[in-house]
């Protein structure tokens, strides 16, 4: 597949434009509940500007009693990851 050439792209120092609206941190989390008193499996991915920048796939650290509780643990883990990434991105002087 051939990429279309953008007029003036080389003079801006990039091939594809990266607008400020794309500089957004998005978190996605999913969990697979383990009903037999096991630890649920979770997956978390962080996207910045539409690109994956960090991800994790692991068992949860504690046993959840319901699907809703497992989802809540996953969202808390994703929020913690987002706060860490936000600090790293701001340290690179980017807008979040």
């Amino acid at each position: 597949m051939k990429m279309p050439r953008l007029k003036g792209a080389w003079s801006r120092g990039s091939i594809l434009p990266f607008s400020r609206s794309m500089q957004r941190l998005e978190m996605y989390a999913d969990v697979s509940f383990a009903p037999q008193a096991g630890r649920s499996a979770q997956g978390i991915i962080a996207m910045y500007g539409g690109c994956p920048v960090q991800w994790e796939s692991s068992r949860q650290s504690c046993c959840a009693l319901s699907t809703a509780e497992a989802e809540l643990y996953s969202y808390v883990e994703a929020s913690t990851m987002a706060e860490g990434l936000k600090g790293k991105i701001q340290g690179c002087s980017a807008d979040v």
Side-chain angles (χ1 to χ4, degrees), residues 32-85:
S32 175
F33 176 60
Q36 302 296 328
R39 295 183 303 156
S40 301
Q42 71 180 8
I44 302 169
I45 187 164
M47 307 282 281
Y48 182 69
C51 300
V53 292
Q54 187 174 352
W55 55 91
E56 173 187 311
S57 177
S58 63
R59 295 269 181 202
Q60 291 183 335
S61 58
C62 56
C63 295
L65 300 176
S66 67
T67 303
E69 187 179 2
E71 290 280 348
L72 181 63
Y73 290 147
S74 184
Y75 296 150
V76 169
E77 190 76 25
S79 296
T80 305
M81 183 187 289
E83 287 299 316
L85 281 172

Side-chain angles (χ1 to χ4, degrees), residues 12-33:
R12 289 191 309 264
S14 64
I15 296 194
L16 296 174
F18 189 74
S19 66
R20 288 236 183 253
S21 63
M22 288 180 63
Q23 293 184 355
R24 189 169 84 183
L25 182 62
E26 298 172 282
M27 302 298 295
Y28 298 97
D30 192 22
V31 68
S32 175
F33 176 60

